[in-house]
Coordinates of all heavy atoms in Angstrom, one line a residue:
M1 N 161.3 41.4 133.3 CA 159.9 41.3 132.9 C 159.8 40.5 131.7 O 160.5 40.7 130.8 CB 159.4 42.7 132.8 CG 158.0 42.8 132.2 SD 157.3 44.4 132.3 CE 157.4 44.9 130.7
P2 N 159.1 39.3 131.8 CA 159.0 38.4 130.6 C 158.3 39.1 129.4 O 157.4 40.0 129.6 CB 158.2 37.3 131.2 CG 157.5 37.7 132.3 CD 158.2 38.9 132.9
G3 N 158.8 38.7 128.2 CA 158.2 39.2 127.0 C 156.9 38.7 126.7 O 156.4 37.8 127.6
P4 N 156.3 38.9 125.5 CA 155.0 38.3 125.2 C 155.0 36.8 125.0 O 156.1 36.3 124.7 CB 154.7 39.0 123.9 CG 155.9 39.4 123.3 CD 156.9 39.7 124.5
K5 N 154.0 36.2 125.4 CA 153.9 34.6 125.1 C 153.4 34.5 123.7 O 152.5 34.9 123.2 CB 152.8 34.2 126.1 CG 152.6 32.6 125.9 CD 153.0 31.9 127.2 CE 152.5 30.5 127.1 NZ 153.6 29.6 127.0
Y6 N 154.3 33.6 123.0 CA 154.1 33.3 121.6 C 153.4 32.0 121.5 O 153.8 31.0 122.3 CB 155.4 33.3 120.8 CG 156.0 34.7 120.7 CD1 156.9 35.1 121.5 CD2 155.5 35.4 119.6 CE1 157.4 36.4 121.4 CE2 156.1 36.7 119.5 CZ 157.0 37.2 120.3 OH 157.5 38.4 120.1
K7 N 152.5 31.9 120.5 CA 151.8 30.6 120.3 C 152.3 30.0 119.0 O 152.6 30.8 118.1 CB 150.2 30.7 120.1 CG 149.7 31.1 121.5 CD 148.1 31.2 121.4 CE 147.3 31.6 122.6 NZ 145.9 31.6 122.5
F8 N 152.4 28.7 119.0 CA 152.9 28.1 117.7 C 151.7 28.4 116.6 O 150.6 28.2 116.9 CB 153.0 26.5 117.9 CG 153.9 26.1 116.8 CD1 155.3 26.0 117.0 CD2 153.4 25.6 115.6 CE1 156.1 25.4 116.0 CE2 154.2 25.1 114.6 CZ 155.5 25.1 114.8
P9 N 152.2 28.7 115.4 CA 151.2 29.0 114.4 C 150.2 27.8 114.2 O 150.6 26.5 114.3 CB 152.0 29.2 113.0 CG 153.3 29.5 113.6 CD 153.5 28.8 114.9
D10 N 148.9 28.1 114.1 CA 147.9 26.9 113.9 C 147.3 27.1 112.6 O 146.6 28.0 112.1 CB 146.8 27.3 115.1 CG 145.7 26.3 115.0 OD1 145.7 25.4 114.2 OD2 144.9 26.2 116.0
P11 N 147.3 26.0 111.9 CA 146.7 26.1 110.5 C 145.3 26.3 110.5 O 144.7 26.7 109.5 CB 147.1 24.7 109.9 CG 147.4 23.7 111.1 CD 147.9 24.6 112.2
K12 N 144.5 25.9 111.6 CA 143.1 26.1 111.6 C 142.7 27.5 111.6 O 141.6 27.8 111.2 CB 142.5 25.4 112.8 CG 142.7 23.9 112.6 CD 142.1 23.2 114.0 CE 142.7 21.9 114.2 NZ 143.9 21.8 115.1
T13 N 143.6 28.4 111.9 CA 143.4 29.8 112.0 C 143.7 30.6 110.7 O 143.4 31.7 110.5 CB 144.0 30.6 113.1 OG1 145.5 30.4 112.9 CG2 143.7 29.9 114.5
C14 N 144.2 29.8 109.8 CA 144.6 30.5 108.4 C 143.5 30.1 107.4 O 142.7 29.2 107.5 CB 145.9 29.7 107.8 SG 147.2 30.1 109.0
K15 N 143.3 31.1 106.4 CA 142.4 30.9 105.4 C 142.9 29.9 104.3 O 144.1 30.0 104.0 CB 142.2 32.2 104.6 CG 141.6 33.3 105.6 CD 141.5 34.6 104.8 CE 141.0 35.7 105.9 NZ 141.2 37.1 105.3
L16 N 142.1 28.9 104.1 CA 142.4 27.8 103.1 C 142.9 28.4 101.8 O 143.8 28.0 101.2 CB 141.2 26.9 103.0 CG 141.5 25.7 101.9 CD1 142.7 24.9 102.6 CD2 140.3 24.9 101.9
K17 N 142.3 29.6 101.3 CA 142.7 30.2 100.0 C 144.2 30.7 100.1 O 144.8 30.8 99.1 CB 141.9 31.2 99.6 CG 141.9 32.5 100.5 CD 140.9 33.6 100.1 CE 141.1 34.8 101.0 NZ 141.0 36.0 100.4
D18 N 144.6 30.9 101.3 CA 146.2 31.4 101.4 C 147.2 30.3 101.0 O 148.1 30.5 100.5 CB 146.5 31.9 102.7 CG 145.8 33.2 103.1 OD1 145.3 33.9 102.1 OD2 145.5 33.5 104.3
R19 N 146.8 29.0 101.4 CA 147.5 27.9 101.0 C 148.9 27.8 101.7 O 149.4 26.7 101.9 CB 147.7 27.7 99.4 CG 146.4 27.5 98.8 CD 146.6 27.4 97.3 NE 145.3 27.6 96.6 CZ 144.7 27.0 95.7 NH1 145.5 26.0 95.1 NH2 143.7 27.3 95.2
A20 N 149.5 29.0 101.9 CA 150.8 28.9 102.7 C 150.9 30.3 103.3 O 150.4 31.2 102.9 CB 152.0 28.7 101.6
V21 N 151.7 30.3 104.5 CA 152.0 31.4 105.3 C 153.4 31.5 105.6 O 154.1 30.4 105.6 CB 151.0 31.5 106.5 CG1 149.6 31.7 106.1 CG2 151.2 30.4 107.5
L22 N 153.9 32.6 105.9 CA 155.3 32.8 106.4 C 155.4 33.0 107.8 O 154.8 33.8 108.4 CB 156.0 33.9 105.7 CG 157.5 34.3 106.1 CD1 158.4 33.1 105.7 CD2 157.9 35.6 105.4
C23 N 156.2 32.2 108.5 CA 156.6 32.4 110.0 C 158.0 32.9 109.9 O 159.0 32.3 109.5 CB 156.4 31.1 110.8 SG 156.6 31.4 112.5
T24 N 158.1 34.3 110.3 CA 159.5 34.8 110.2 C 160.5 34.2 111.2 O 160.1 33.6 112.1 CB 159.4 36.3 110.6 OG1 158.9 36.5 112.0 CG2 158.4 37.0 109.6
A25 N 161.8 34.5 110.9 CA 162.9 34.0 111.7 C 162.7 34.4 113.2 O 162.9 33.7 114.2 CB 164.2 34.3 111.3
E26 N 162.3 35.7 113.4 CA 162.2 36.3 114.8 C 161.1 35.6 115.5 O 161.3 35.3 116.6 CB 161.7 37.8 114.6 CG 162.9 38.7 114.0 CD 163.0 38.6 112.5 OE1 162.0 38.2 111.8 OE2 164.1 39.0 112.0
R27 N 160.1 35.2 114.8 CA 158.9 34.5 115.6 C 159.4 33.0 115.8 O 159.1 32.6 116.8 CB 157.6 34.6 114.7 CG 156.5 34.0 115.4 CD 155.1 34.3 114.7 NE 154.1 33.8 115.5 CZ 153.5 34.7 116.4 NH1 154.0 35.8 116.7 NH2 152.5 34.2 117.0
I28 N 160.0 32.4 114.9 CA 160.4 31.1 115.0 C 161.4 31.0 116.3 O 161.2 30.1 117.2 CB 161.2 30.5 113.8 CG1 160.2 30.3 112.7 CG2 161.9 29.3 114.2 CD1 160.7 30.0 111.3
L29 N 162.3 31.9 116.3 CA 163.2 31.9 117.5 C 162.6 32.3 118.8 O 163.0 31.7 119.8 CB 164.4 33.0 117.2 CG 165.4 32.6 116.0 CD1 166.3 33.7 115.7 CD2 166.2 31.4 116.5
A30 N 161.6 33.3 118.7 CA 160.9 33.6 120.0 C 160.2 32.3 120.6 O 160.1 32.0 121.7 CB 159.9 34.7 119.8
I31 N 159.4 31.5 119.7 CA 158.7 30.4 120.0 C 159.6 29.3 120.5 O 159.4 28.7 121.5 CB 157.9 29.9 118.8 CG1 156.8 30.8 118.4 CG2 157.2 28.5 119.2 CD1 156.1 30.6 117.0
Y32 N 160.8 29.1 119.8 CA 161.7 28.1 120.1 C 162.3 28.3 121.5 O 162.4 27.5 122.4 CB 162.8 28.0 119.1 CG 163.9 27.1 119.4 CD1 163.8 25.6 119.2 CD2 165.1 27.6 120.0 CE1 164.9 24.9 119.5 CE2 166.2 26.7 120.3 CZ 166.0 25.4 120.0 OH 167.1 24.5 120.4
N33 N 162.7 29.6 121.6 CA 163.4 29.9 123.0 C 162.3 29.8 124.2 O 162.7 29.3 125.1 CB 164.0 31.3 122.9 CG 165.2 31.4 122.1 OD1 165.8 30.4 121.8 ND2 165.5 32.5 121.5
Q34 N 161.2 30.3 124.0 CA 160.2 30.3 124.9 C 159.8 28.8 125.3 O 159.6 28.4 126.5 CB 158.9 31.0 124.3 CG 157.6 30.8 125.2 CD 156.5 31.5 124.5 OE1 156.5 32.6 124.5 NE2 155.6 30.7 124.0
S35 N 159.7 27.9 124.3 CA 159.3 26.5 124.5 C 160.5 25.7 125.1 O 160.2 24.7 125.8 CB 158.8 25.9 123.1 OG 157.7 26.6 122.6
T36 N 161.7 25.9 124.7 CA 162.8 25.1 125.2 C 163.6 25.7 126.3 O 164.4 24.9 126.8 CB 163.8 24.8 123.9 OG1 164.4 26.1 123.6 CG2 163.0 24.3 122.8
G37 N 163.4 27.0 126.5 CA 164.2 27.6 127.6 C 165.6 27.9 127.1 O 166.5 28.3 127.9
K38 N 165.9 27.8 125.8 CA 167.2 28.1 125.3 C 167.3 29.5 124.9 O 166.3 30.2 124.9 CB 167.6 27.2 124.2 CG 167.6 25.6 124.7 CD 168.1 24.6 123.5 CE 168.0 23.2 124.1 NZ 168.4 22.4 123.2
D39 N 168.4 29.9 124.3 CA 168.6 31.3 123.9 C 169.2 31.4 122.4 O 170.3 31.9 122.2 CB 169.4 32.1 124.9 CG 169.4 33.6 124.5 OD1 168.5 34.0 123.8 OD2 170.4 34.3 124.9
A40 N 168.5 30.7 121.4 CA 169.1 30.6 120.1 C 169.0 32.0 119.4 O 168.1 32.7 119.7 CB 168.3 29.7 119.3
K41 N 170.0 32.4 118.7 CA 170.0 33.7 118.0 C 169.8 33.6 116.6 O 169.5 34.5 115.8 CB 171.3 34.3 118.3 CG 171.7 34.4 119.7 CD 171.0 35.6 120.4 CE 171.4 35.8 121.7 NZ 170.4 36.2 122.6
R42 N 170.0 32.3 116.0 CA 169.9 32.1 114.5 C 169.1 30.8 114.3 O 169.0 29.9 115.2 CB 171.2 32.0 113.9 CG 172.0 33.3 113.8 CD 172.9 33.3 112.8 NE 173.5 34.6 112.6 CZ 174.8 34.9 112.3 NH1 175.6 33.9 112.0 NH2 175.3 36.1 112.3
I43 N 168.7 30.6 113.1 CA 167.9 29.4 112.7 C 169.0 28.3 112.4 O 169.4 28.3 111.3 CB 167.1 29.7 111.4 CG1 166.0 31.0 111.7 CG2 166.2 28.5 111.1 CD1 165.0 30.7 112.7
S44 N 169.3 27.5 113.4 CA 170.3 26.5 113.3 C 169.6 25.2 112.8 O 168.4 25.2 112.7 CB 171.0 26.3 114.5 OG 170.1 25.8 115.5
K45 N 170.4 24.2 112.6 CA 169.9 22.9 112.2 C 168.9 22.4 113.3 O 167.9 21.8 113.0 CB 171.0 21.9 112.0 CG 171.6 22.0 110.7 CD 172.8 21.0 110.5 CE 173.5 21.2 109.2 NZ 174.5 20.3 109.0
S46 N 169.3 22.5 114.6 CA 168.5 22.0 115.7 C 167.2 22.8 115.8 O 166.2 22.2 116.2 CB 169.2 22.1 117.0 OG 169.7 23.4 117.4
V47 N 167.3 24.1 115.6 CA 166.0 24.9 115.5 C 165.1 24.5 114.4 O 163.9 24.3 114.6 CB 166.3 26.5 115.4 CG1 165.0 27.3 115.3 CG2 167.1 27.0 116.6
K48 N 165.6 24.3 113.2 CA 164.9 23.8 112.1 C 164.2 22.4 112.5 O 163.1 22.2 112.1 CB 165.7 23.7 110.8 CG 166.1 24.9 110.2 CD 167.0 24.6 109.0 CE 167.5 25.9 108.3 NZ 168.3 25.7 107.1
A49 N 165.1 21.5 113.0 CA 164.5 20.3 113.3 C 163.3 20.4 114.3 O 162.3 19.6 114.2 CB 165.6 19.3 113.8
W50 N 163.6 21.2 115.4 CA 162.5 21.3 116.4 C 161.2 22.0 115.7 O 160.1 21.5 115.9 CB 163.0 22.2 117.5 CG 162.0 22.4 118.6 CD1 161.6 21.7 119.6 CD2 161.1 23.6 118.6 NE1 160.7 22.3 120.4 CE2 160.3 23.5 119.7 CE3 160.9 24.7 117.7 CZ2 159.3 24.3 120.0 CZ3 159.9 25.6 118.0 CH2 159.1 25.4 119.2
F51 N 161.4 23.0 115.0 CA 160.2 23.7 114.4 C 159.5 22.7 113.4 O 158.2 22.7 113.5 CB 160.7 24.9 113.6 CG 159.6 25.9 113.3 CD1 159.0 26.8 114.2 CD2 159.1 25.9 112.0 CE1 158.0 27.6 113.9 CE2 158.1 26.8 111.5 CZ 157.5 27.5 112.5
A52 N 160.2 22.1 112.6 CA 159.6 21.0 111.6 C 158.7 20.1 112.4 O 157.7 19.8 112.0 CB 160.6 20.4 110.7
T53 N 159.3 19.5 113.5 CA 158.5 18.5 114.2 C 157.3 19.1 114.9 O 156.2 18.5 114.8 CB 159.5 17.9 115.4 OG1 160.6 17.2 114.8 CG2 158.8 17.0 116.3
E54 N 157.4 20.3 115.5 CA 156.3 21.0 116.1 C 155.3 21.3 115.0 O 154.0 21.3 115.2 CB 156.7 22.2 116.7 CG 157.6 21.9 118.0 CD 156.9 21.1 119.0 OE1 155.7 21.4 119.4 OE2 157.5 20.0 119.4
A55 N 155.8 21.7 113.7 CA 154.7 22.0 112.7 C 153.9 20.8 112.4 O 152.7 20.9 112.1 CB 155.4 22.5 111.5
K56 N 154.5 19.6 112.3 CA 153.8 18.4 111.9 C 152.7 18.2 113.0 O 151.6 17.8 112.8 CB 154.7 17.3 111.8 CG 155.3 17.1 110.4 CD 155.9 15.9 110.0 CE 156.3 15.7 108.7 NZ 155.4 15.2 107.7
K57 N 153.2 18.3 114.2 CA 152.2 18.1 115.5 C 151.1 19.0 115.4 O 150.0 18.6 115.8 CB 153.1 18.2 116.7 CG 154.0 17.1 117.1 CD 154.6 17.4 118.5 CE 155.8 16.7 118.8 NZ 156.5 17.1 120.1
A58 N 151.3 20.1 115.0 CA 150.3 21.3 114.9 C 149.3 21.1 113.8 O 148.3 21.7 113.7 CB 150.9 22.5 114.9
G59 N 149.7 20.2 112.8 CA 148.8 19.8 111.6 C 149.1 20.6 110.3 O 148.3 20.6 109.4
W60 N 150.3 21.1 110.3 CA 150.7 21.7 108.9 C 151.2 20.7 108.0 O 151.6 19.6 108.4 CB 151.9 22.6 109.2 CG 151.6 23.9 110.0 CD1 151.7 24.1 111.3 CD2 151.0 25.1 109.5 NE1 151.3 25.3 111.7 CE2 150.8 26.0 110.6 CE3 150.5 25.5 108.2 CZ2 150.3 27.2 110.4 CZ3 150.0 26.8 108.1 CH2 149.9 27.6 109.2
A61 N 150.8 20.9 106.7 CA 151.1 19.8 105.7 C 152.6 19.7 105.5 O 153.2 18.7 105.1 CB 150.4 20.2 104.4
G62 N 153.3 20.8 105.8 CA 154.8 20.7 105.6 C 155.3 22.2 105.7 O 154.6 23.2 105.9
G63 N 156.6 22.4 105.5 CA 157.3 23.6 105.6 C 158.5 23.7 104.8 O 159.1 22.6 104.4
H64 N 158.9 25.0 104.5 CA 160.1 25.2 103.8 C 160.8 26.3 104.4 O 160.4 27.5 104.3 CB 159.9 25.3 102.2 CG 161.1 25.5 101.5 ND1 162.0 24.4 101.1 CD2 161.6 26.5 100.9 CE1 163.0 24.9 100.4 NE2 162.9 26.1 100.2
F65 N 162.1 26.2 104.8 CA 162.9 27.3 105.3 C 163.5 28.0 104.3 O 164.1 27.5 103.2 CB 164.0 26.7 106.3 CG 163.4 26.1 107.5 CD1 163.1 24.9 107.6 CD2 163.2 27.1 108.6 CE1 162.5 24.4 108.9 CE2 162.6 26.5 109.8 CZ 162.3 25.2 110.0
L66 N 163.6 29.3 104.3 CA 164.0 30.2 103.2 C 165.3 31.0 103.8 O 165.1 31.5 104.9 CB 163.0 31.2 102.9 CG 161.7 30.6 102.2 CD1 160.7 31.7 102.0 CD2 162.1 30.0 100.9
P67 N 166.3 31.3 102.9 CA 167.4 32.1 103.4 C 167.0 33.5 103.1 O 166.3 33.7 102.1 CB 168.6 31.5 102.6 CG 167.9 31.0 101.3 CD 166.6 30.4 101.9
E68 N 167.6 34.4 103.8 CA 167.5 35.9 103.5 C 168.5 36.1 102.4 O 169.6 35.6 102.4 CB 167.8 36.7 104.8 CG 167.3 38.2 104.6 CD 168.4 39.0 103.9 OE1 169.6 38.8 104.1 OE2 168.0 40.0 103.2
I69 N 168.0 36.9 101.3 CA 168.9 37.1 100.2 C 170.3 37.7 100.3 O 171.2 37.1 99.7 CB 168.1 37.9 99.1 CG1 168.8 37.9 97.8 CG2 167.9 39.3 99.5 CD1 168.2 37.1 96.8
Q70 N 170.4 38.6 101.2 CA 171.6 39.2 101.4 C 172.6 38.5 102.3 O 173.7 38.2 102.0 CB 171.5 40.6 101.9 CG 172.8 41.4 101.7 CD 172.6 42.9 102.0 OE1 171.4 43.4 102.1 NE2 173.6 43.7 102.3
S71 N 172.2 38.1 103.5 CA 173.1 37.4 104.5 C 173.1 36.0 104.3 O 174.1 35.4 104.7 CB 172.4 37.8 105.8 OG 171.3 37.1 106.1
G72 N 172.0 35.3 103.7 CA 172.1 33.9 103.7 C 171.6 33.2 104.9 O 171.3 32.0 105.0
H73 N 171.3 34.0 105.9 CA 170.8 33.4 107.2 C 169.3 33.1 107.0 O 168.7 33.7 106.2 CB 171.0 34.5 108.4 CG 172.5 34.7 108.7 ND1 173.4 33.8 109.0 CD2 173.1 35.9 108.6 CE1 174.6 34.3 109.2 NE2 174.4 35.6 108.9
G74 N 168.9 32.3 107.9 CA 167.4 31.9 107.9 C 166.4 33.1 107.9 O 166.6 33.9 109.0
A75 N 165.6 33.3 107.0 CA 164.5 34.4 107.0 C 163.4 33.9 107.6 O 162.5 34.7 108.1 CB 164.4 34.9 105.6
G76 N 163.0 32.7 107.7 CA 161.8 32.0 108.2 C 161.5 30.9 107.5 O 162.2 30.2 106.8
C77 N 160.2 30.4 107.8 CA 159.7 29.1 107.2 C 158.5 29.3 106.6 O 157.4 29.9 107.3 CB 159.7 28.1 108.3 SG 159.1 26.5 107.7
V78 N 158.2 29.0 105.4 CA 156.9 28.9 104.7 C 156.2 27.7 105.1 O 156.6 26.6 105.0 CB 156.9 29.0 103.2 CG1 155.6 28.9 102.6 CG2 157.7 30.2 102.7
L79 N 155.0 27.8 105.8 CA 154.1 26.6 106.2 C 153.1 26.5 105.3 O 152.4 27.4 104.8 CB 153.6 26.9 107.7 CG 154.8 27.0 108.7 CD1 154.1 27.5 110.0 CD2 155.4 25.7 108.9
F80 N 152.9 25.2 104.8 CA 151.9 24.9 103.9 C 150.7 24.3 104.6 O 150.6 23.5 105.5 CB 152.3 23.9 102.9 CG 153.5 24.5 102.1 CD1 154.8 24.1 102.5 CD2 153.3 25.3 101.0 CE1 156.0 24.6 101.8 CE2 154.4 25.8 100.4 CZ 155.7 25.5 100.7
I81 N 149.5 24.8 104.2 CA 148.2 24.4 104.8 C 147.6 23.3 104.1 O 147.4 23.1 102.8 CB 147.2 25.7 104.7 CG1 147.8 26.9 105.4 CG2 145.8 25.3 105.4 CD1 147.1 28.1 105.2
S82 N 147.3 22.3 104.9 CA 146.5 21.1 104.4 C 145.0 21.5 104.1 O 144.5 22.2 104.9 CB 146.5 19.9 105.5 OG 147.8 19.6 105.7
P83 N 144.6 21.0 103.0 CA 143.1 21.4 102.8 C 142.2 20.6 103.8 O 142.5 19.4 104.1 CB 142.7 20.7 101.4 CG 144.0 20.1 100.9 CD 145.2 20.3 101.9
H84 N 141.3 21.3 104.4 CA 140.6 20.8 105.6 C 139.2 20.2 104.9 O 138.8 19.1 105.4 CB 140.0 21.8 106.6 CG 141.1 22.5 107.2 ND1 142.0 22.0 108.1 CD2 141.6 23.9 107.0 CE1 143.0 22.8 108.4 NE2 142.6 24.0 107.8
Q85 N 138.8 20.7 103.9 CA 137.6 20.2 103.2 C 137.7 20.6 101.8 O 138.0 21.8 101.4 CB 136.4 20.8 103.9 CG 135.1 20.4 103.3 CD 133.9 21.1 104.0 OE1 134.1 21.5 105.1 NE2 132.8 21.1 103.5
V86 N 137.2 19.8 100.9 CA 137.1 20.1 99.5 C 135.7 19.9 99.0 O 135.0 18.9 99.2 CB 138.0 19.2 98.6 CG1 137.9 19.6 97.1 CG2 139.5 19.4 99.0
D87 N 135.1 21.0 98.6 CA 133.6 21.0 98.2 C 133.6 20.6 96.7 O 134.4 21.1 95.9 CB 132.9 22.3 98.4 CG 132.8 22.8 99.8 OD1 132.6 21.7 100.6 OD2 133.0 23.8 100.2
V88 N 132.9 19.6 96.3 CA 132.9 19.3 94.9 C 131.3 19.1 94.5 O 130.4 18.9 95.4 CB 133.5 17.9 94.6 CG1 135.0 18.0 94.8 CG2 132.9 16.8 95.4
S89 N 131.1 19.4 93.2 CA 129.8 19.1 92.6 C 129.9 17.8 91.9 O 131.0 17.4 91.4 CB 129.3 20.1 91.8 OG 130.2 20.4 90.7
V90 N 128.9 16.9 91.9 CA 129.0 15.6 91.3 C 127.9 15.7 90.2 O 126.7 16.1 90.3 CB 128.7 14.5 92.3 CG1 128.6 13.2 91.6 CG2 129.7 14.6 93.5
N91 N 128.4 15.2 89.0 CA 127.4 15.1 87.9 C 127.6 13.7 87.3 O 128.7 13.3 86.8 CB 127.8 16.2 86.7 CG 126.9 16.1 85.5 OD1 125.8 15.4 85.6 ND2 127.4 16.8 84.5
V92 N 126.6 12.8 87.4 CA 126.8 11.5 87.0 C 126.0 11.3 85.6 O 124.8 11.7 85.5 CB 126.2 10.5 87.9 CG1 126.3 9.0 87.4 CG2 126.9 10.6 89.2
T93 N 126.7 10.9 84.5 CA 126.0 10.6 83.3 C 126.1 9.1 83.1 O 126.4 8.3 84.0 CB 126.8 11.3 82.2 OG1 128.0 10.7 82.0 CG2 126.9 12.8 82.4
N94 N 125.6 8.7 82.0 CA 125.5 7.2 81.6 C 126.9 6.5 81.9 O 126.9 5.4 82.3 CB 125.1 6.9 80.4 CG 123.5 7.1 80.3 OD1 122.9 7.2 81.3 ND2 123.0 7.3 79.1
A95 N 128.0 7.2 81.5 CA 129.3 6.5 81.4 C 130.4 7.2 82.1 O 131.5 6.7 82.4 CB 129.8 6.4 80.0
T96 N 130.2 8.5 82.7 CA 131.2 9.3 83.2 C 130.8 10.0 84.4 O 129.7 10.4 84.6 CB 131.6 10.4 82.2 OG1 131.9 9.8 80.9 CG2 132.8 11.1 82.6
L97 N 131.7 9.9 85.4 CA 131.5 10.7 86.8 C 132.5 11.7 86.8 O 133.8 11.6 86.6 CB 131.8 9.7 87.9 CG 131.9 10.4 89.4 CD1 130.5 10.8 89.6 CD2 132.3 9.3 90.3
V98 N 131.9 13.0 86.8 CA 132.7 14.2 86.8 C 132.6 14.9 88.1 O 131.6 15.2 88.6 CB 132.2 15.2 85.8 CG1 133.0 16.4 85.7 CG2 132.1 14.5 84.3
L99 N 133.8 15.1 88.7 CA 133.9 15.8 90.0 C 134.6 17.2 89.8 O 135.7 17.2 89.1 CB 134.8 15.0 91.0 CG 134.3 13.7 91.4 CD1 135.3 13.0 92.4 CD2 132.9 13.8 92.0
V100 N 134.0 18.3 90.2 CA 134.5 19.5 89.9 C 134.5 20.3 91.3 O 133.6 20.4 91.9 CB 133.6 20.3 89.0 CG1 134.1 21.8 88.6 CG2 133.5 19.6 87.6
A101 N 135.8 20.9 91.6 CA 135.9 21.6 92.8 C 135.2 22.9 92.8 O 135.2 23.6 91.6 CB 137.5 21.8 93.1
E102 N 134.6 23.3 93.9 CA 133.9 24.5 93.9 C 134.9 25.6 94.1 O 135.9 25.5 94.4 CB 133.1 24.6 95.1 CG 131.8 23.6 95.1 CD 130.8 23.8 94.0 OE1 130.6 25.1 93.7 OE2 130.2 23.0 93.5
D103 N 134.6 26.9 93.4 CA 135.4 28.0 93.6 C 135.5 28.5 95.1 O 134.5 28.3 95.8 CB 135.0 29.2 92.6 CG 135.1 28.9 91.2 OD1 136.0 28.1 90.9 OD2 134.4 29.4 90.5
E104 N 136.7 29.0 95.5 CA 136.9 29.4 96.8 C 136.3 30.8 96.9 O 136.3 31.7 96.1 CB 138.3 29.5 97.2 CG 138.8 28.0 97.2 CD 140.3 28.0 97.7 OE1 141.1 28.7 97.0 OE2 140.6 27.3 98.6

């Protein structure tokens, strides 16, 4: 009986205020194995390369793989969210243009 179908994380479903999210090693491996038909057990260089490529395709600004403190094995990947829209207020004076980002 096949396990659950995993979707690659989508930056559009994340809140912009979060700025970054963690995709755990278990989830990365499940997505990798499901997508490639392989049976990886650890976050290897090839898994990292595949995940990083897929993250760019999905629209993530970037990612950073983290080791687990005790074992040193891959704990997961922090994915960084690209700003979709920046709201600013514009105040024009005689000599200065001031742009101020709105609070989230």
Side-chain angles (χ1 to χ4, degrees):
M1 179 164 101
K5 178 112 172 114
Y6 291 93
K7 292 183 179 178
F8 200 91
D10 185 348
K12 295 180 201 96
T13 63
C14 298
K15 296 176 184 167
L16 185 57
K17 68 178 181 148
D18 290 339
R19 300 179 195 220
V21 294
L22 175 67
C23 190
T24 64
E26 293 80 16
R27 185 167 189 86
I28 291 170
L29 290 170
I31 294 168
Y32 175 81
N33 290 337
Q34 173 184 285
S35 297
T36 64
K38 296 183 181 176
D39 189 27
K41 304 284 188 216
R42 292 206 176 144
I43 305 293
S44 64
K45 287 181 183 179
S46 59
V47 172
K48 286 180 181 180
W50 177 87
F51 191 80
T53 298
E54 293 300 311
K56 282 199 173 266
K57 287 182 195 174
W60 291 96
H64 181 74
F65 289 91
L66 298 172
E68 196 276 325
I69 187 104
Q70 188 171 352
S71 70
H73 297 300
C77 183
V78 176
L79 294 168
F80 299 99
I81 300 166
S82 296
H84 303 293
Q85 176 180 346
V86 177
D87 295 323
V88 295
S89 61
V90 178
N91 179 18
V92 180
T93 64
N94 288 339
T96 307
L97 172 64
V98 179
L99 301 176
V100 180
E102 298 290 331
D103 291 332
E104 295 179 307

